[in-house]
Amino acid sequence: MGLERWIGAWPVYRQITGADRLGRGKAAESRRSAGLGPRTDSADRVVDSVCPYCAVGCAQRVYVKDEQVIQIEGNPDSPISRGRLCPKGSASKQLVTGPQREQKVRYRPPYATEWQALDLETAMDMVADRVLDARRKGWQDVDEDGKTLRRTMGIASLGGATLDNEENYLIKKLFTALGALQIENQARI
């Protein structure tokens, strides 16, 4: 590469000699970045969605190519977030496509050192059996004065920030129907 061509490729030289004196545009652009395009250009379709993390309800655009999520961005048409997402919402693609995401039910029996894979039906039956057992063992029908209680002290619920409004609503209804009193959410703490 000749000296003149090398100097011309230097961003500071382009900034000093060109129209971009502040170095905020083409002067600061490398050959590599000049050849890049938005990763959303290759999407087959765009699906409107809502961020799954909190109760704000920020709208998202999910870009799909070959039935795989390739990008998730804020939706600028949303009156709630106007296209902006918090750090968790911006990283929600990892929630869907991250390599660390488990794709099957994993279970480690008591005193075992290894995890084992379970089918979903078996795992759901195990959870239901344990919830009903804990409810039964902790059930209080009346107090020592004979006042009606009809509650269980054997189960509780602590929701997290990754649950949306609908999930929290259903969890509250479920645990109330089971007779639980200790129903809380991380968002209130």
Side-chain angles (χ1 to χ4, degrees):
M1 177 186 282
L3 182 61
E4 286 181 22
R5 190 169 173 193
W6 182 79
I7 291 174
W10 197 34
V12 173
Y13 178 77
R14 290 194 309 264
Q15 181 179 343
I16 293 169
T17 61
D20 184 16
R21 298 279 180 181
L22 297 176
R24 295 182 180 166
K26 290 289 184 187
E29 190 175 76
S30 69
R31 282 192 204 105
R32 180 184 169 278
S33 61
L36 295 176
R39 62 184 133 210
T40 56
D41 281 351
S42 64
D44 298 329
R45 62 190 167 104
V46 180
V47 180
D48 288 331
S49 185
V50 177
C51 180
Y53 283 110
C54 72
V56 174
C58 297
Q60 293 180 323
R61 287 185 173 163
V62 180
Y63 294 86
V64 180
K65 179 179 181 175
D66 300 327
E67 296 305 309
Q68 298 290 322
V69 175
I70 59 169
Q71 180 68 13
I72 297 177
E73 296 179 351
N75 188 341
D77 296 334
S78 168
I80 295 169
S81 59
R82 298 182 304 225
R84 296 173 187 90
L85 295 174
C86 72
K88 287 192 299 185
S90 296
S92 57
K93 179 179 177 243
Q94 294 173 2
L95 179 70
V96 178
T97 63
Q100 71 280 6
R101 180 182 176 164
E102 286 290 345
Q103 301 291 323
K104 57 190 171 224
V105 178
R106 307 284 285 164
Y107 173 69
R108 191 179 71 173
Y111 309 106
T113 58
E114 300 295 321
W115 291 89
Q116 61 189 35
L118 291 180
D119 63 285
L120 183 59
E121 188 174 334
T122 301
M124 294 297 284
D125 287 342
M126 289 171 67
V127 170
D129 291 343
R130 290 173 182 178
V131 166
L132 294 175
D133 186 50
R135 179 180 185 261
R136 184 182 43 76
K137 287 179 180 174
W139 187 256
Q140 296 175 340
D141 205 34
V142 293
D143 66 8
E144 59 275 352
D145 297 328
K147 293 181 183 174
T148 303
L149 296 175
R150 291 191 203 136
R151 68 182 185 191
T152 183
M153 301 303 280
I155 56 176
S157 172
L158 176 60
T162 58
L163 302 176
D164 59 32
N165 279 348
E166 291 79 13
E167 288 171 309
N168 280 316
Y169 175 81
L170 292 172
I171 287 170
K172 169 70 171 142
K173 289 288 191 183
L174 170 66
F175 278 85
T176 300
L178 288 170
L181 297 178
Q182 303 89 349
I183 306 168
E184 190 55 79
N185 190 286
Q186 171 200 1
R188 283 183 8 122
I189 296 175

